[in-house]
């Protein structure tokens, strides 16, 4: 019996190809950051995950662009206040549009209202500053269908206390905020138990009668569109939420000309103007960058603050499903998504397969490792990303890659261990009787025989990574999830599909490629 007749082996050409691919991945992970350090760092503008924040991020970036040597970088849809604030503190972004009430109540935990100067002084020890009041107030309020308000005689928030049967659907952030539901319920004596909903989906839910009351932002475009009645805050619970710019204190020093340009926006955007911009995004499907460009053109022409946008551009940028699917960002998102999946699965394989080999002779250690990796699968992806951001102090690709690698670990390790344990004991003994060392037996006998099962594990890990990578957009890592996150914020089904379908197609292509690989392995083993 010879080594060649015992099992199929990888050819030398295939071995070199795999090695070259891994080397290229590792080189890309190191070279890209190094080259980025040589170039001038651009102004980085962040946003939260709702329509108005997306628009304001584009507005700030485009206002600064003519005065920046490097085009500003916009990092959209980073998440809620905590995530965007962590990104700002860690230097991942330089500024973003925030609200005075959020800064005072949620960030500084102030017992009462604060002036802009007081907030700036309180933020300084954290290396942050606040300024450039944009000119509009976007406060929280409670709203319900106007027909229900008229039928039940509701006009004030205090009237809700007498209607415990009403179903409340509130955004998860509002439920958890210091100035959110708990304080509101305590102030008004409300006994309802709200359910948590994405802000965009809540509008659909209230329109179809699935909920009766929701929290709204006072500049939301769908309030009038859906015929909602905004309840009067008769006990003045909600503070003012004047839109301001929250920034790193070193930003005006690093980008003085851009900062001077941004200061020109002071007091230039009023509430009707902001509602009109939100309406173009949510009701007409106009792209955020187009809305920002048009609005800056209006401001540059010194139009009246409450003037409507020019009729010639009112529908500019409105796109149907196919236009959104084949939008110019498709190549960039595909590249980001494939990179996340490829690197995560490669790392999981490079680390998981050797770990499984080390535990081959110890069932107890194998069970412990498989149990630990299995436990990771039960951790919700959003929660894991939040923990990683808190631990690492960064957002973007790094925490996303770590999370995806951890999720890909289990199928790789489990299938490797299962494949190795399926190798007949008699075959091992026969190989040893021929004088093969344990390492030679592993290389020439066990691994080739287990290869189809290992490949099946990598195949499963890839499928998991493709689906989970869409969540990476919540922390600014890009990929097709960027469209899904934006679609959720806008309640735009076409944009959701434009993100989901390419991800599904990528999963199908991956399955086809692995199916061909496994067939080839089976033919060689026959």
């Amino acid at each position: 019996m010879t080594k060649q007749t015992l099992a199929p082996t990888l050819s030398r050409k295939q071995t070199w190809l795999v090695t070259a691919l891994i080397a290229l991945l590792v080189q890309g992970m190191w070279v890209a950051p190094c080259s980025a350090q040589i170039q001038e760092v651009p102004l980085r503008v962040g946003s939260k995950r709702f329509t108005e924040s997306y628009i304001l991020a584009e507005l700030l970036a485009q206002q600064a662009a003519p005065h920046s040597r490097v085009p500003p970088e916009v990092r959209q849809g980073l998440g809620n206040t905590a995530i965007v604030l962590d990104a700002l503190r860690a230097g991942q972004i330089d500024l973003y549009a925030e609200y005075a009430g959020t800064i005072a109540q949620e960030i500084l935990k102030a017992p009462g209202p604060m002036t802009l100067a007081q907030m700036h002084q309180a933020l300084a020890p954290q290396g942050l500053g606040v300024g450039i009041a944009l000119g509009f107030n976007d406060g929280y309020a409670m709203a319900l269908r106007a027909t229900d308000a008229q039928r039940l005689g509701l006009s004030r928030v205090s009237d809700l206390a007498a209607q415990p049967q009403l179903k409340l659907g509130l955004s998860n952030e509002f439920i958890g905020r210091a100035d959110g539901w708990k304080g509101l319920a305590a102030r008004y004596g409300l006994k309802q138990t709200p359910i948590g909903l994405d802000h965009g989906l809540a509008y659909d839910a209230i329109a179809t009668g699935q909920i009766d009351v929701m929290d709204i932002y006072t500049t939301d475009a769908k309030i009038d569109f859906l015929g909602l009645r905004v309840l009067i805050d008769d006990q003045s619970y909600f503070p003012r939420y004047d839109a301001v710019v929250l920034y790193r204190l070193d930003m005006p020093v690093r980008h003085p000309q851009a900062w001077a340009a941004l200061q020109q926006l002071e007091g230039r955007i009023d509430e009707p103007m902001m509602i009109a911009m939100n309406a173009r995004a949510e009701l007409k499907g106009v792209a955020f960058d187009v809305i920002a460009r048009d609005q800056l053109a209006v401001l540059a022409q010194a139009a009246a603050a409450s003037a409507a946008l020019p009729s010639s551009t009112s529908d500019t940028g409105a796109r149907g499903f196919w236009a959104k699917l084949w939008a110019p960002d498709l190549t960039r998102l595909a590249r980001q998504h494939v990179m996340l999946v490829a690197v995560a699965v490669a790392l999981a394989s490079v680390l998981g397969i050797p770990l499984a080999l080390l535990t081959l002779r110890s069932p107890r250690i194998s069970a412990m490792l498989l149990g630990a990796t299995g436990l990771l699968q039960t951790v919700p992806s959003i929660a894991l990303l939040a923990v990683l951001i808190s631990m690492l102090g960064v957002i973007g690709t790094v925490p996303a890659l770590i999370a995806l690698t951890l999720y890909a670990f289990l199928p790789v390790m489990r299938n490797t261990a299962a494949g190795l344990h399926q190798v007949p004991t008699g075959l091992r003994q026969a190989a040893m009787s021929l004088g093969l060392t344990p390492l030679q037996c592993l290389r020439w006998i066990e691994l080739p025989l287990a290869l189809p099962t290992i490949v099946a594990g990598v195949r499963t890990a890839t499928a998991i990574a493709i689906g989970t990578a869409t969540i990476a957009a919540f922390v600014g890592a890009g990929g097709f999830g960027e469209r899904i996150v934006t679609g959720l914020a806008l309640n735009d089904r076409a944009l959701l599909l434009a993100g989901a379908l390419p991800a599904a197609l990528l999963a199908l292509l991956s399955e086809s490629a692995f199916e061909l690989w496994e067939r080839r392995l089976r033919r060689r083993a026959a």
Side-chain angles (χ1 to χ4, degrees):
M1 183 182 293
T2 65
K3 296 175 185 177
Q4 284 74 17
T5 59
L6 288 171
T9 62
L10 289 173
S11 68
R12 182 171 299 178
K13 183 178 179 181
Q14 290 173 318
T15 303
W16 276 107
L17 180 59
V18 172
T19 305
L21 287 173
I22 294 175
L24 284 173
L25 287 172
V26 173
Q27 182 182 13
M29 293 174 66
W30 284 101
V31 171
C34 292
S35 61
Q37 291 176 0
I38 297 173
Q39 300 174 356
E40 183 177 349
V41 178
L43 175 68
R44 294 159 299 182
V45 184
S47 88
K48 297 185 184 180
R49 194 170 55 86
F50 61 93
T51 304
E52 186 168 291
S53 190
Y54 284 104
I55 295 172
L56 290 176
E58 284 289 350
L59 198 71
L60 294 172
Q62 291 188 30
Q63 175 71 6
H67 309 277
S68 304
R69 284 180 290 183
V70 179
E73 177 183 323
V74 182
R75 309 194 72 171
Q76 295 279 34
L78 296 179
N80 60 16
T81 301
I83 293 177
V84 186
L85 184 62
D86 281 346
L88 186 67
R89 287 169 173 160
Q92 300 295 300
I93 59 175
D94 297 305
L95 58 89
Y96 74 98
E98 189 52 278
Y99 302 90
T102 299
I103 295 173
Q105 301 279 330
E106 188 71 9
I107 297 176
L108 296 176
K109 312 294 183 184
M114 300 177 70
T115 66
L116 207 61
Q118 289 171 332
M119 287 187 284
H120 187 84
Q121 184 178 4
L123 288 167
Q126 304 180 39
L128 306 179
V130 60
I132 313 178
L134 297 176
F136 70 93
N137 169 50
D138 182 10
Y140 272 116
M142 305 297 288
L144 72 164
R145 292 178 294 274
T147 52
D148 291 343
Q150 185 175 0
R151 177 173 55 85
L152 298 172
L154 305 179
S155 61
R156 305 169 301 171
V157 177
S158 57
D159 295 335
L160 294 176
Q163 305 292 336
Q165 80 283 359
L166 294 178
K167 295 178 290 185
L168 273 62
L170 309 179
S171 63
N172 291 289
E173 182 174 4
F174 181 76
I175 291 175
R177 288 174 63 105
D179 55 345
W181 168 248
K182 290 183 180 179
L184 183 72
R187 175 73 65 86
Y188 285 98
L190 306 181
K191 304 300 182 184
Q192 294 91 342
T193 301
I195 61 172
L197 285 174
D198 180 84
H199 189 70
L201 296 178
Y203 277 108
D204 262 359
I206 200 168
T208 56
Q210 298 177 65
I211 60 173
D212 301 310
V213 183
M214 65 176 289
D215 62 301
I216 54 100
Y217 306 125
T218 54
T219 56
D220 282 352
K222 291 186 178 179
I223 299 172
D224 292 334
F225 180 74
L226 295 177
L228 302 183
R229 173 79 58 82
V230 179
L231 297 176
I232 298 171
D233 182 14
D234 49 309
Q235 295 189 28
S236 301
Y237 171 74
F238 294 114
R240 284 186 62 84
Y241 291 84
D242 294 297
V244 295
V245 174
L246 188 61
Y247 62 94
R248 291 180 60 83
L249 284 177
D250 61 349
M251 179 265 160
V253 178
R254 290 185 289 108
H255 303 277
Q257 294 180 336
W259 178 248
L262 291 174
Q263 288 179 310
Q264 296 174 12
L265 293 176
E266 181 96 29
R268 300 291 303 280
I269 304 171
D270 61 14
E271 291 174 23
M273 193 180 294
M274 194 68 246
I275 292 172
M277 287 191 281
N278 288 335
R280 293 188 73 198
E282 296 183 356
L283 305 182
K284 296 183 179 181
V286 183
F288 302 127
D289 59 334
V290 175
I291 295 172
R293 183 196 66 205
D294 291 345
Q295 191 60 57
L296 288 175
V298 171
L299 294 175
Q301 296 165 6
S306 60
L309 290 171
S311 59
S312 61
T313 63
S314 60
D315 292 327
T316 301
R319 300 170 295 168
F321 167 71
W322 293 108
K324 292 175 181 178
L325 178 63
W326 298 107
D329 65 352
L330 180 62
T331 302
R332 174 181 62 84
L333 298 179
R335 184 173 62 251
Q336 292 172 338
H337 207 98
V338 171
M339 185 277 293
L340 287 170
V341 172
V343 175
V345 174
L347 289 174
S349 302
V350 169
L351 298 174
I353 293 175
L355 279 176
L357 295 177
L358 291 175
T359 61
L360 180 61
R361 312 302 182 207
S362 177
R364 179 177 298 180
I365 296 177
S366 177
M368 289 176 59
L369 280 176
L370 289 174
T373 53
L375 187 62
L376 285 172
Q377 299 287 322
T378 65
V379 180
S381 52
I382 291 294
L384 181 59
L385 285 170
V387 171
L388 288 172
I389 289 172
S390 178
M391 290 174 58
L392 301 173
V394 296
I395 60 171
T397 305
V398 173
L401 277 178
I402 294 175
L404 291 174
T405 301
L406 292 176
Y407 284 127
F409 246 19
L410 179 62
V412 172
M413 284 190 62
R414 182 173 56 194
N415 277 48
T416 301
L420 292 172
H421 282 103
Q422 289 172 1
V423 177
T425 304
L427 195 57
R428 289 194 182 95
Q429 293 174 346
M432 299 296 287
S433 66
L434 291 174
L436 271 67
T437 65
L439 186 59
Q440 290 173 324
C441 181
L442 177 66
R443 179 181 177 184
W444 297 106
I445 308 298
E446 295 172 312
L447 277 179
L449 287 176
L451 188 58
T453 307
I454 296 173
V455 170
V458 176
R459 177 179 181 174
T460 302
T462 303
I464 292 173
I466 290 173
T468 309
T470 57
I471 306 296
F474 283 91
V475 294
F480 294 126
E482 192 172 298
R483 289 181 173 180
I484 295 173
V485 170
T486 307
L488 282 172
L490 292 174
N491 200 20
D492 186 337
R493 294 184 180 87
L495 192 55
L496 283 169
L497 284 174
L501 289 181
L505 178 60
L506 182 60
L508 289 174
L509 290 174
S510 140
E511 286 293 300
S512 300
F514 276 106
E515 180 67 26
L516 291 174
W517 190 7
E518 289 182 1
R519 285 182 183 177
R520 183 176 180 182
L521 290 175
R522 286 194 293 269
R523 284 198 302 267
R524 292 184 61 186

